């Protein structure tokens, strides 16, 4: 059922909240202690996306565009482009694993968050024809969004630059824990980097960085410049895939959008995810790490369900607001993830919190300006 613009903004914010919350399931202590390979958690998350997608079926009977002449037998839509959208979701998460070992989490987040904003805006304005009534305000909005993303991603580095090296005191200091989609290494001699939303990225008990570091290990010697360029390219690919995930929605019939789009999306994710795992682990000699199904599968399903609820909210908000507004607003999820890191997981302390909230305010101002840039006042 279509919603008006006001409801669309509310749903878009809810989408960002859910999207910023879905990785938190991996950090539940009983799950984190298993040191699960992040790509396996991605597989379990995709399984959660797949399962939750089928919850749309009972509600399709209320879509009058799908019912037969008698109005009581809903047809079953399965748009093939939903398979593509599900695949893009899997690729965006997978390439994030690949980018982090080369350039660290903070820079990777900044690159893929910024590129996702630009890609989504370009899709909406240049491809889908979303009308911008105030181009100057739209440009200012994009600049604010990019600044906010960079400020959040580098909040600890910025606070150290302005307030000194002891400005931040991580709750995880000395307890090197890694996080679900946030494991990485330092740039020199495997030194830990902590200038990111998830605290130190080296790990022992809570997720070994060797899981992702091994990407460039099979006899590959890379210069620092080559590693940096590789990481930037991989992170930009994350933004390209992430910013394009729901772009196929624009090319499906209206009756196959919204809830009707979800089952095909879930199937696409469930097909692509095992294939990605096969390629990844095959590249490393088919050495499969422990699965920890009993301890972690439920968390992956929970994570995938939260992500899919965010996805559903995006499916509702895009027709109401336009792709060029709704999907860039989704990048506010980075702010939500930081709130989890501050108030629940205690990963950011000291002046880094101040920098984080200043950057978050800039991010929100960018989202507001972006909405006003297409508003017909």
């Amino acid at each position: 059922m279509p919603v008006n613009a006001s409801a669309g903004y509310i749903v878009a914010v809810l989408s960002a909240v859910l999207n910023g919350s879905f990785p938190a399931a991996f950090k539940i202590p009983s799950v984190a202690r298993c040191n699960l390979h992040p790509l396996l958690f991605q597989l379990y998350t995709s399984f959660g996306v797949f399962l939750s997608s089928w919850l749309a079926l009972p509600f399709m009977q209320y879509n009058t565009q799908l019912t037969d002449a008698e109005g009581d037998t809903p047809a079953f839509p399965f748009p093939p482009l939903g398979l593509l959208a599900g695949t893009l979701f899997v690729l965006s998460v997978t390439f994030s694993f690949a980018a982090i070992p080369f350039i660290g989490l903070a820079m990777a987040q900044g690159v893929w968050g910024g590129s996702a904003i630009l890609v989504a805006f370009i899709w909406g304005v240049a491809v889908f024809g979303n009308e911008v009534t105030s181009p100057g305000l739209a440009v200012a909005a994009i600049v604010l969004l990019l600044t906010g993303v960079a400020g959040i991603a580098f909040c600890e580095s910025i606070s150290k630059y302005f307030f000194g090296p002891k400005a931040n005191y991580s709750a995880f200091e000395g307890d090197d824990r890694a996080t679900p989609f946030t494991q990485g290494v330092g740039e020199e001699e495997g030194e830990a980097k902590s200038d990111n939303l998830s605290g130190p990225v080296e790990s022992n008990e809570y997720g070994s960085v060797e899981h992702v570091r091994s990407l460039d290990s099979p006899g590959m010697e890379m210069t620092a410049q080559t590693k940096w360029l590789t990481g930037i390219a991989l992170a930009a690919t994350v933004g390209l895939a992430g910013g394009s995930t729901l772009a196929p929605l624009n090319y499906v019939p209206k009756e196959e959008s919204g809830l009707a789009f979800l089952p095909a999306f879930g199937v696409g994710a469930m097909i692509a995810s095992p294939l990605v795992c096969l390629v990844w682990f095959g590249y490393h000699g088919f050495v499969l790490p422990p699965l920890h199904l009993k301890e972690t599968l439920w968390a992956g399903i929970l994570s995938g369900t939260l992500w899919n609820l965010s996805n559903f909210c995006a499916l509702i908000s895009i027709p109401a607001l336009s792709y060029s507004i709704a999907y860039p607003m989704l990048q506010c999820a980075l702010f939500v993830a930081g709130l989890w890191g501050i108030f629940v997981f205690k990963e950011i302390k000291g002046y880094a919190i101040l920098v984080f909230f200043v950057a978050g305010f800039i991010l929100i101002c960018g989202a507001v300006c972006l909405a006003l840039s297409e508003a017909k006042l």
Side-chain angles (χ1 to χ4, degrees):
M1 181 179 66
V3 299
N4 58 33
S6 298
Y9 286 118
I10 295 174
V11 176
V13 170
L14 179 59
S15 177
V17 171
L18 291 166
N19 193 274
S21 302
F22 86 93
F26 192 89
K27 301 181 70 175
I28 297 171
S30 61
V31 176
R33 277 192 292 269
C34 294
N35 191 23
L36 183 71
H37 192 292
L39 199 61
L40 289 178
F41 190 76
Q42 183 270 335
L43 176 64
Y44 301 163
T45 299
S46 296
F47 185 51
V49 170
F50 171 75
L51 291 179
S52 57
S53 294
W54 297 101
L55 296 177
L57 288 181
F59 299 96
M60 289 187 186
Q61 61 182 311
Y62 301 108
N63 186 340
T64 56
Q65 294 175 310
L66 292 177
T67 55
D68 59 12
E70 287 73 26
D72 57 359
T73 305
F76 179 72
F78 196 85
L81 286 175
L83 301 176
L84 174 60
T87 300
L88 288 172
F89 157 69
V90 171
L91 291 178
S92 67
V93 177
T94 303
F95 277 106
S96 70
F97 299 151
I100 291 169
F102 290 102
I103 57 176
L105 171 67
M107 183 176 293
Q109 279 184 324
V111 171
W112 73 53
S115 58
I117 290 173
L118 293 175
V119 167
F121 189 77
I122 291 172
W123 270 112
V125 174
V127 181
F128 303 151
N130 299 157
E131 183 180 358
V132 176
T133 57
S134 177
L137 190 59
V139 172
I142 295 298
V143 171
L144 289 172
L145 286 169
L146 295 177
T147 302
V149 167
I152 290 174
F154 290 97
C155 64
E156 293 191 358
S157 290
I158 294 172
S159 65
K160 288 177 183 178
Y161 179 82
F162 285 102
F163 303 107
K166 295 185 178 181
N168 311 322
Y169 294 93
S170 170
F172 285 174
E173 193 169 330
D175 188 22
D176 300 330
R177 304 183 186 188
T179 59
F181 300 88
T182 57
Q183 295 181 338
V185 296
E187 295 181 1
E188 296 182 10
E189 299 179 2
E191 183 180 357
K193 293 174 69 70
S194 60
D195 55 343
N196 54 63
L197 286 179
S198 301
V201 290
E202 286 282 7
S203 169
N204 41 46
E205 182 184 4
Y206 280 77
S208 172
V209 74
E210 295 298 331
H211 288 328
V212 287
R213 177 188 289 165
S214 59
L215 179 67
D216 61 348
S217 61
M220 296 174 60
E221 292 295 334
M222 304 176 69
T223 65
Q225 183 180 19
T226 302
K227 286 186 177 181
W228 185 84
L229 290 173
T230 301
I232 293 296
L234 290 169
T237 303
V238 175
L240 177 61
S244 304
T245 296
L246 289 183
L249 185 67
N250 192 70
Y251 300 101
V252 302
K254 186 176 181 181
E255 64 271 14
E256 296 181 355
S257 62
L259 277 175
F261 192 74
L262 285 180
F265 184 99
V267 171
M270 200 64 251
I271 292 174
S273 188
L275 291 177
V276 166
C277 289
L278 180 64
V279 172
W280 183 288
F281 294 124
Y283 177 77
H284 295 289
F286 292 101
V287 178
L288 189 66
L291 300 180
H292 296 295
L293 289 173
K294 181 179 179 181
E295 299 87 353
T296 63
L297 178 60
W298 66 271
I301 293 174
L302 172 62
S303 180
T305 301
L306 290 174
W307 189 93
N308 216 13
L309 288 173
S310 168
N311 187 36
F312 170 62
C313 291
L315 290 171
I316 294 177
S317 64
I318 287 173
L321 303 179
S322 82
Y323 196 90
S324 58
I325 288 181
Y327 229 59
M329 286 182 65
L330 185 61
Q331 299 310 311
C332 292
L334 188 61
F335 179 69
V336 176
L339 294 178
W340 278 94
I342 292 172
F343 295 109
V344 178
F345 300 112
K346 311 297 182 183
E347 296 169 338
I348 304 175
K349 284 193 172 184
Y351 287 103
I353 296 178
L354 174 62
V355 175
F356 171 85
F357 278 108
V358 170
F361 177 75
I362 294 173
L363 185 73
I364 293 172
C365 287
V368 172
C369 289
L370 190 64
L372 293 175
S373 72
E374 293 191 19
K376 293 180 172 61
L377 302 177

